[in-house]
Amino acid sequence: MRPLIPIVAIVICGSLLTTVSVAAGPLPNYPEHQDLSYYLDAERKRHPIRTPDDWAIRRRQILAAMQTVMGPVPGDDKRVPLNVEVLEETVLDDGLVRRKIAYDTEKTTRVRAYLFLPKTEQAKSSAVLCLHQTTRPGKREPAGLEGKPNLHYALHLAQRGYVTLSPDYPSFGEYEYDFDREKTGFRSGTMKAIWDNMRAIDLLQALDEVDGERIGCIGHSLGGHNTMFTAAFDERIKCLVSNCGFTRFHKYYDGKLVGWTSPRYMPAINDDYKNDPDKVPFDFPEIIALFAPRPFLASAPVRDSNFEVSGVKESIAAARPIYKLLGAADNLQANYPDSAHDFPPAARQVAYEFFDRHLRR
């Protein structure tokens, strides 16, 4: 048995993060978000995107637009020692170790998570951050302790040899959280979750068992778009899989965006943009393009009633030219299983093999 680790203080340098501040002055207002062939300058003049430098301009605008809705990515004033503490340890089959841990993500927040450490002869393993769906048990479902067996992906990937970490999203599992903006300083639950996930990556990179350059992220439903939002702002995520995680805003319940507007997510979509997909200043085709050239797999069941599949296909098609521009066309993949809002075995196998292909050496 591996010994219990004591409480430790870990601080990761902020330079490891993708830091993007909201641009000074008004952002260009794009009439729609599927055409990624151009960028607008301050006078709204169109310029074709022909080079990576051209794309970098539009990319910065997309990240800034996301922050106008989600709130700004926190700065180093939010970073505190993680103070990792092991609460429980269980040795499972084949020497797999499951640890329940707690750690600080900021001065006022302590998160609990399940950490899996596989038995391996490798000095350092790849790691995957595993984000749960909208479910009361939170982290316990990916960890295989509750919920649907199809969603036990933190356990499954650990059994394949990955170090995995499954934390609670704010207000789920053991994570009590007051989303009051005045108290927290976060404009949205979405940005709070992004920050917590960045700190989870800090933690993974600090582990002796982990190769910090081979970290992935996966999630279903809430976990699927939580994965995408985090990877947009943190390039330490080298490979990601979203299952049942998104569709174009116009295809989400015929453009009725109220499901995105609770305090857990992005209230500004209602408060500032009146739930109108024509007014929201970003959309998922742009988010996918932000990942390029990193490997991204969209797992999108054709009978998903939450995230309509045609909007996924349109998003993938819109982002594909950017992947080609950056010489990584094969890194953008999509799988369309014949299922409802679920992660069936065949779809999981595609996802797990995607990680094997891109995270293992």
Side-chain angles (χ1 to χ4, degrees):
M1 178 185 297
R2 300 176 191 223
L4 291 176
I5 56 175
I7 297 176
V8 295
I10 305 171
V11 178
I12 301 295
C13 176
S15 64
L16 292 174
L17 303 182
T18 298
T19 54
V20 183
S21 59
V22 178
L27 287 167
N29 181 25
Y30 285 84
E32 53 81 35
H33 303 281
Q34 284 186 270
D35 186 354
L36 298 176
S37 67
Y38 70 98
Y39 69 88
L40 297 173
D41 63 22
E43 285 73 42
R44 292 189 51 77
K45 181 180 179 181
R46 290 172 61 125
H47 301 269
I49 293 176
R50 296 196 179 105
T51 69
D53 286 344
D54 295 333
W55 165 242
I57 296 171
R58 179 75 182 266
R59 190 178 193 279
R60 287 193 294 270
Q61 292 171 345
I62 296 166
L63 288 165
M66 291 172 69
Q67 289 175 89
T68 66
V69 179
M70 300 174 178
V73 177
D76 283 340
D77 59 310
K78 285 281 187 184
R79 178 162 276 101
V80 297
L82 288 164
N83 294 322
V84 181
E85 180 184 8
V86 175
L87 306 175
E88 301 172 3
E89 178 167 299
T90 304
V91 179
L92 307 175
D93 294 341
D94 299 323
L96 179 63
V97 175
R98 182 186 69 222
R99 289 176 176 166
K100 184 178 181 181
I101 64 173
Y103 55 94
D104 295 332
T105 62
E106 55 174 315
K107 291 178 181 178
T108 59
T109 301
R110 192 156 178 81
V111 174
R112 295 191 176 195
Y114 284 105
L115 172 68
F116 286 89
L117 299 171
K119 184 178 181 180
T120 176
E121 295 181 358
Q122 299 182 49
K124 292 183 177 292
S125 300
S126 303
V128 182
L129 179 62
C130 299
L131 306 178
H132 64 76
Q133 66 163 335
T134 303
T135 182
R136 179 52 51 195
K139 63 186 177 300
R140 291 179 62 83
E141 185 166 63
L145 296 169
E146 287 190 50
K148 298 179 180 179
N150 280 349
L151 301 179
H152 293 174
Y153 35 84
L155 174 61
H156 298 158
L157 287 165
Q159 291 169 335
R160 293 175 76 92
Y162 294 90
V163 173
T164 65
L165 182 66
S166 177
D168 284 324
Y169 189 100
S171 78
F172 291 104
E174 298 177 275
Y175 194 164
E176 294 184 6
Y177 189 76
D178 183 347
F179 290 97
D180 186 297
R181 180 180 177 182
E182 297 301 320
K183 295 178 181 177
T184 68
F186 285 94
R187 191 177 192 205
S188 68
T190 293
M191 185 52 71
K192 170 58 176 167
I194 290 169
W195 177 250
D196 285 349
N197 294 337
M198 287 179 163
R199 300 309 322 274
I201 296 168
D202 289 350
L203 191 157
L204 286 171
Q205 287 195 317
L207 294 175
D208 291 338
E209 294 89 347
V210 170
D211 181 342
E213 296 302 312
R214 291 187 289 146
I215 293 176
C217 192
I218 188 172
H220 167 74
S221 197
L222 164 63
H225 45 262
N226 193 12
T227 290
M228 297 173 72
F229 296 151
T230 303
F233 292 102
D234 196 329
E235 295 184 2
R236 295 175 299 171
I237 295 175
K238 303 300 185 184
C239 178
L240 61 150
V241 174
S242 173
N243 184 69
C244 298
F246 72 99
T247 189
R248 287 182 55 226
F249 284 138
H250 287 81
K251 294 295 181 73
Y252 179 82
Y253 293 102
D254 298 320
K256 300 177 180 67
L257 302 184
V258 66
W260 288 105
T261 65
S262 80
R264 286 174 172 162
Y265 308 118
M266 292 173 279
I269 288 179
N270 175 69
D271 299 344
D272 297 346
Y273 305 102
K274 310 308 177 188
N275 294 333
D276 185 345
D278 288 331
K279 295 179 179 178
V280 178
F282 71 91
D283 204 346
F284 282 95
E286 295 169 306
I287 293 174
I288 294 169
L290 295 176
F291 306 145
R294 291 172 290 165
F296 171 60
L297 170 66
S299 180
V302 297
R303 293 184 282 110
D304 186 347
S305 61
N306 290 31
F307 299 104
E308 203 277 331
V309 70
S310 71
V312 177
K313 292 180 178 180
E314 290 164 359
S315 298
I316 295 294
R320 196 169 296 284
I322 302 302
Y323 268 82
K324 289 181 179 178
L325 176 68
L326 299 183
D330 291 342
N331 283 354
L332 178 58
Q333 296 292 325
N335 183 39
Y336 302 106
D338 184 11
S339 74
H341 191 73
D342 199 0
F343 204 5
R348 294 200 311 275
Q349 186 65 21
V350 171
Y352 299 164
E353 289 177 355
F354 189 77
F355 281 130
D356 291 347
R357 186 159 62 252
H358 292 289
L359 281 186
R360 284 182 167 162
R361 290 176 179 164

